[in-house]
Amino acid sequence: MGDDNEVNGDLNANSMSQSTGDPQLDKAVRQWLKWDKNCCTRAQVESLVAAGQVNDLRSRLSSRMTFGTAGLRAPMGAGFNRINDLTIIQSTQGLCSYLSRCFANLSSRGVVVGFDTRGQESSGCSSQRLAKLTAAVILNRDIPVHLFSTFVPTPFVPYAVKKLGAAAGVMITASHNPKEDNGYKVYWCNGAQISSPHDKEILRSIEEQLEPWCASCWDLELVERCSMRTDPLTLINSSYMDELASLCFHRDLNSCCPLKFVHSSFHGVGHDFIQQAFQTFGFAPPIPVPEQKDPDPNFPTVRCPNPEEGESVLELSLLLAEKENARIVLATDPDADRLAVAEKSDGCRWKVFTGNELAALLGWWMFFNWKENHPDPADSQRVYMLATTVSSKILQAFALIEGFHFEETLPGFKYIGNRIHELAKTGNTVIFSFEESIGFLCGGMAPDKDGISTAVVVAEMASYLHNRSLSLTKQLDNIYQTYGYHLSKTSYVICKDPPTIQKIFSRIRNFDGEGSYPKTCGGVQIVHVRDITTGYDSSKADLRSVFPVSRSSHMITFTLQNGIVATLRTSGTEPKIKYYSEFCAAPGKRDVSSLEEELKKVTDALLDDFLEPEKNNLTRCFV
């Protein structure tokens, strides 16, 4: 360690011959150059100092990342608030220290580490490299590491945590974020994403020991020679596919299914695993989109590797489906935990399902098959479905008629995952969960969203319906006619200026005078307001929300007199303000065009009157 310090000392002297003019920033620069051993990110900081790029340096070095909805997520590159070798080592040191306090048997349980296919040449970062550094830090504390030898879907990490009895799991991924980003997603021993207080305690632990423990924390080869490192790939892949068969209800139909399926993995990890999943269900493999089949961290064929964006990013998939006369398109995001689905309608048009529409189909399908195997109505008393509070209320409509339980959670699958764990402890079964941003979990193999299992479940549902001369689109209409039309609109605006976001939500909270929320939206009376950020809920006698207060983000929900529910919230992973609206019509109310017209009027007002995009320089996006 002494030699390393001497080398760093010489480099520091050369690098800091020029001051930024800001003593605090100079201190941060010196700290970075003392600790960082990645030549690419060191060079980035040295270059910025030499060029006098004070604002850029301040942006990178004057703040640290915090755990959001999906753990740590940020652009790759030099800086304490970015994803790079040093911040991954620091984060893992904090995680290790916290786990050591929580688990007396940590040395026997170990930690699972997985990674996707992201990478950035300019910063010398790749998900695989960052995963190896994560493992090296953990191994330095004589803690076993179950490090996957190649890229895996994100759902494999929580599945492995539960299967192996590990204390925690780490997945290096930024999911569907832009190519510049990467992330550090942490799972607890129950397989769910970490939530409070673990997230806050891990952050505190990180900040208590920022200096890398020793030189071997940077040793990428340690994972190859250390006996405490195991590769769980073969076991987990085999076990996952075996358990996946429990979601297969009509294998006899699958083996002779005339439907063709196209699959895009969006240059990510999904291809091989989707092929295996289809084989498990007895299907012929789906046709891969050749330009998007193989991993590529530059995502060259899409503007943004997010299938949630809809038809605009599914262009290659739809073209291939037309060519191959395939009726169903399946698209997994780069880490394969989300799924988009499109279907060729009776005419020439493609129907790209929203997350809420897919949830209506999947919720119906899972309960339909569960009921076939559990004909006693009393059995429904231990069955649950879950959804985040900004998602469609369609599962609630199912539950009211069918007699099972439905619950809402705060946005983010970490809340769903932890609730699944709590319900399981009391002997209950969650058969389906979802969030509107195309995140689904059929059954409960692991308490996190899973694009791999959902894709093959959708394929079987489509096959079953086709055998009865029904399409997914037609069955969705049947569901709405039975349980009531649930029409929703979801989109977002981009805002990269936090003070502007704060100003927007402050205005909403004082819309009609101090402490007074808006009373109407689109000319319709607002009957209830729930503000998760402040803990206010006007529908409760004590005016307190049943959800825990979440001051780190903004979320306000308006319930209107006509039955529309509308929500504004900030994203936990991206510079967005998202808005959601849904018309929950009663069964039998079938004038869809008038429902759509009324929903559009309210949604337009939600955007224009409450967010004021032009006045606040917000970028509109239409999904």
Side-chain angles (χ1 to χ4, degrees):
M1 188 73 180
D3 291 342
D4 289 330
N5 280 337
E6 288 171 13
V7 171
N8 284 340
D10 292 341
L11 287 170
N12 292 343
N14 293 334
S15 302
M16 287 307 295
S17 59
Q18 181 177 344
S19 171
T20 65
D22 179 341
Q24 283 297 109
L25 184 57
D26 285 345
K27 181 180 177 181
V29 169
R30 284 193 297 271
Q31 198 78 84
W32 181 269
L33 295 174
K34 177 184 176 184
W35 290 341
D36 186 19
K37 294 181 183 294
N38 179 314
C39 61
C40 296
T41 45
R42 285 184 62 89
Q44 287 181 358
V45 170
E46 290 167 347
S47 175
L48 291 171
V49 171
Q53 297 293 320
V54 175
N55 289 337
D56 197 350
L57 284 166
R58 191 173 286 123
S59 167
R60 292 168 180 262
L61 298 170
S62 296
S63 62
R64 297 194 60 80
M65 295 177 290
T66 59
F67 279 100
T69 304
L72 301 173
R73 197 173 288 183
M76 289 177 276
F80 293 119
N81 68 349
R82 303 204 173 194
I83 296 289
N84 50 65
D85 291 7
L86 178 57
T87 55
I88 290 297
I89 288 172
Q90 292 173 325
S91 299
T92 308
Q93 289 181 169
L95 175 63
C96 277
S97 296
Y98 183 63
L99 291 176
S100 296
R101 297 199 296 272
C102 294
F103 296 95
N105 58 352
L106 182 59
S107 60
S108 61
R109 299 184 71 155
V111 177
V112 174
V113 180
F115 56 93
D116 68 9
T117 58
R118 285 179 176 260
Q120 185 184 66
E121 190 174 348
S122 62
S123 61
C125 290
S126 70
S127 291
Q128 183 175 37
R129 175 187 174 88
L130 298 176
K132 286 185 174 183
L133 289 171
T134 299
V137 173
I138 299 169
L139 291 169
N140 264 285
R141 281 297 187 259
D142 295 327
I143 301 167
V145 175
H146 311 286
L147 171 66
F148 285 97
S149 55
T150 188
F151 56 79
V152 292
T154 287
F156 271 36
V157 170
Y159 179 81
V161 168
K162 292 197 71 178
K163 188 73 179 176
L164 300 173
V170 174
M171 179 68 185
I172 306 296
T173 181
S175 190
H176 57 280
N177 271 38
K179 66 180 182 180
E180 294 81 12
D181 290 1
N182 216 325
Y184 187 90
K185 198 169 189 177
V186 180
Y187 293 88
W188 201 240
C189 62
N190 60 7
Q193 297 174 40
I194 58 165
S195 58
S196 188
H198 299 312
D199 51 358
K200 296 179 179 62
E201 291 301 319
I202 292 170
L203 273 176
R204 183 178 294 118
S205 187
I206 292 170
E207 290 164 359
E208 287 172 353
Q209 45 206 321
L210 294 175
E211 183 170 1
W213 286 333
C214 58
S216 55
C217 288
W218 299 85
D219 185 358
L220 294 171
E221 302 306 316
L222 182 60
V223 298
E224 309 300 336
R225 63 178 186 269
C226 182
S227 61
M228 287 188 298
R229 180 269 172 127
T230 59
D231 175 13
L233 180 63
T234 301
L235 170 65
I236 295 304
N237 188 61
S238 174
S239 178
Y240 176 92
M241 294 302 166
D242 286 346
E243 284 194 45
L244 183 60
S246 67
L247 297 175
C248 180
F249 304 108
H250 304 278
R251 189 182 177 88
D252 55 329
L253 291 178
N254 301 344
S255 58
C256 56
C257 176
L259 290 177
K260 288 183 178 180
F261 301 91
V262 161
H263 171 245
S264 170
S265 56
F266 270 65
H267 302 289
V269 307
H271 171 73
D272 290 347
F273 301 99
I274 287 284
Q275 297 274 314
Q276 291 180 63
F278 267 63
Q279 184 178 5
T280 298
F281 270 50
F283 283 110
I287 305 164
V289 177
E291 302 93 331
Q292 298 175 335
K293 176 174 73 71
D294 298 323
D296 189 332
N298 291 312
F299 307 111
T301 66
V302 287
R303 173 184 54 81
C304 177
N306 184 3
E308 190 185 353
E309 297 286 335
E311 195 165 348
S312 63
V313 294
L314 296 175
E315 183 180 3
L316 290 175
S317 301
L318 300 179
L319 286 172
L320 179 62
E322 292 280 5
K323 178 184 174 184
E324 297 287 347
N325 196 29
R327 186 163 146 185
I328 305 288
V329 164
L330 306 165
T332 46
D333 67 343
D335 69 327
D337 66 346
R338 297 173 190 254
L339 176 75
V341 178
E343 179 184 57
K344 185 71 172 288
S345 298
D346 295 334
C348 298
R349 196 174 58 85
W350 283 92
K351 161 74 172 172
V352 181
F353 294 94
T354 67
N356 287 332
E357 290 170 336
L358 268 180
L361 285 162
L362 287 163
W364 163 79
W365 176 249
M366 292 304 294
F367 189 73
F368 169 75
N369 287 290
W370 188 89
K371 197 162 56 173
E372 288 281 301
N373 296 308
H374 301 82
D376 185 351
D379 290 342
S380 298
Q381 287 305 303
R382 291 198 170 275
V383 170
Y384 280 75
M385 292 193 194
L386 307 178
T388 61
T389 188
V390 295
S391 303
S392 173
K393 314 300 179 190
I394 187 64
L395 300 186
Q396 185 175 49
F398 287 179
L400 288 171
I401 291 175
E402 300 293 349
F404 61 85
H405 297 279
F406 168 73
E407 283 190 12
E408 286 186 337
T409 72
L410 287 173
F413 233 90
K414 65 182 179 183
Y415 297 106
I416 287 178
N418 281 289
R419 185 59 183 149
I420 288 172
H421 178 68
E422 291 170 7
L423 288 167
K425 287 193 295 186
T426 54
N428 295 293
T429 301
V430 179
I431 61 171
F432 179 65
S433 311
F434 88 103
E435 59 183 3
E436 53 73 38
S437 51
I438 60 172
F440 312 99
L441 176 62
C442 299
M445 287 172 57
D448 200 14
K449 55 186 177 288
D450 185 348
I452 302 293
S453 60
T454 305
V456 72
V457 168
V458 168
E460 183 175 70
M461 175 171 54
S463 170
Y464 177 90
L465 291 170
H466 182 76
N467 191 57
R468 284 154 179 73
S469 302
L470 289 168
S471 64
L472 295 174
T473 304
K474 176 58 180 172
Q475 180 57 22
L476 180 63
D477 192 59
N478 291 341
I479 290 168
Y480 285 153
Q481 290 191 38
T482 302
Y483 299 99
Y485 279 89
H486 283 60
L487 309 178
S488 59
K489 289 185 176 294
T490 301
S491 193
Y492 60 88
V493 293
I494 295 174
C495 182
K496 298 183 178 180
D497 181 48
T500 296
I501 293 176
Q502 189 65 37
K503 182 182 75 173
I504 289 170
F505 280 90
S506 177
R507 173 178 172 268
I508 293 170
R509 294 185 177 103
N510 300 279
F511 201 84
D512 285 324
E514 188 174 350
S516 177
Y517 294 85
K519 294 181 174 60
T520 63
C521 184
V524 182
Q525 185 179 352
I526 295 171
V527 293
H528 295 304
V529 177
R530 184 185 64 199
D531 189 340
I532 298 297
T533 312
T534 64
Y536 171 77
D537 187 341
S538 67
S539 70
K540 305 299 179 184
D542 61 0
L543 302 181
R544 295 177 65 179
S545 170
V546 296
F547 288 121
V549 174
S550 178
R551 299 194 188 280
S552 60
S553 60
H554 295 281
M555 187 169 80
I556 304 176
T557 298
F558 306 96
T559 301
L560 278 62
Q561 195 171 42
N562 60 359
I564 291 177
V565 179
T567 297
L568 296 170
R569 67 176 281 255
T570 49
S571 169
T573 58
E574 299 164 288
K576 295 177 178 178
I577 301 175
K578 296 185 174 183
Y579 56 95
Y580 314 77
S581 58
E582 182 176 35
F583 206 132
C584 307
K589 192 171 184 179
R590 298 178 182 178
D591 186 1
V592 178
S593 59
S594 68
L595 296 177
E596 288 177 336
E597 185 177 333
E598 198 162 355
L599 180 63
K600 182 180 185 305
K601 182 177 72 172
V602 168
T603 307
D604 288 347
L606 188 73
L607 174 62
D608 295 332
D609 298 347
F610 292 1
L611 297 184
E612 300 181 304
E614 281 66 41
K615 179 180 177 181
N616 291 306
N617 295 315
L618 309 177
T619 304
R620 296 174 182 251
C621 293
F622 300 95
V623 179

